[in-house]
């Protein structure tokens, strides 16, 4: 039981690290391709301090940080039910990171949700 809780926490922390790593990748993408980061007409742009803070913005920020943590923690919980090889763990974590980054790029930069 302790092993399962430990793996759940470790994978959740990996989810948080994935968020911060994606943020640094996104910052570099914005530097290389500035048209990706130009806000649409009528949208607030220029960073968090340039926009008025409302409830939806706080909920969006919470979801942006919390959902990857929960997603990765769920993967850790499910995989830790039985003993698995390290290659299986790595495969699932690489797939989860790829899915997280692809969906975040699609949602934030392409669809601008």
């Amino acid at each position: 039981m302790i092993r399962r809780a430990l793996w759940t926490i470790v994978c959740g922390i990996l989810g948080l690290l994935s968020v911060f790593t994606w943020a640094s990748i996104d910052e570099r993408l914005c530097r290389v391709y500035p048209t990706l980061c130009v806000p649409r007409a009528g949208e607030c742009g220029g960073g968090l301090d340039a926009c008025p803070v409302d409830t939806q913005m706080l909920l969006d920020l919470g979801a942006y940080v919390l959902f990857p943590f929960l997603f990765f923690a769920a993967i850790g919980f499910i995989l830790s039910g039985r003993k698995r090889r390290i290659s299986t763990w790595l495969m699932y974590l690489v797939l989860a990171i790829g899915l997280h980054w692809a969906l975040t790029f699609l949602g934030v930069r392409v669809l601008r949700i």
Side-chain angles (χ1 to χ4, degrees), residues 12-30:
I13 291 170
L14 285 175
L16 288 177
L17 289 174
S18 177
V19 169
F20 292 119
T21 305
W22 171 254
S24 68
I25 292 170
D26 187 50
E27 187 267 330
R28 287 185 182 185
L29 281 174
C30 286

Side-chain angles (χ1 to χ4, degrees), residues 42-82:
E43 283 184 347
C44 182
L48 286 174
D49 56 345
C51 303
V53 178
D54 58 352
T55 305
Q56 181 169 351
M57 181 183 284
L58 290 175
L59 290 174
D60 288 345
L61 180 63
Y64 182 79
V65 173
L66 187 63
F67 285 158
F69 173 80
L70 294 175
F71 177 67
F72 279 73
I75 289 173
F77 182 79
I78 291 168
L79 288 178
S80 64
R82 293 186 303 164

Side-chain angles (χ1 to χ4, degrees), residues 2 12 15 23 25 27 30-31 34 60 63 77-78 86 94 96-97 106 109-110:
I2 291 177
I25 292 170
E27 187 267 330
C30 286
R31 213 177 319 135
D60 288 345
F77 182 79
I78 291 168
I86 193 73
V94 166
I97 289 170
L106 182 68
R109 294 294 166 215
V110 177

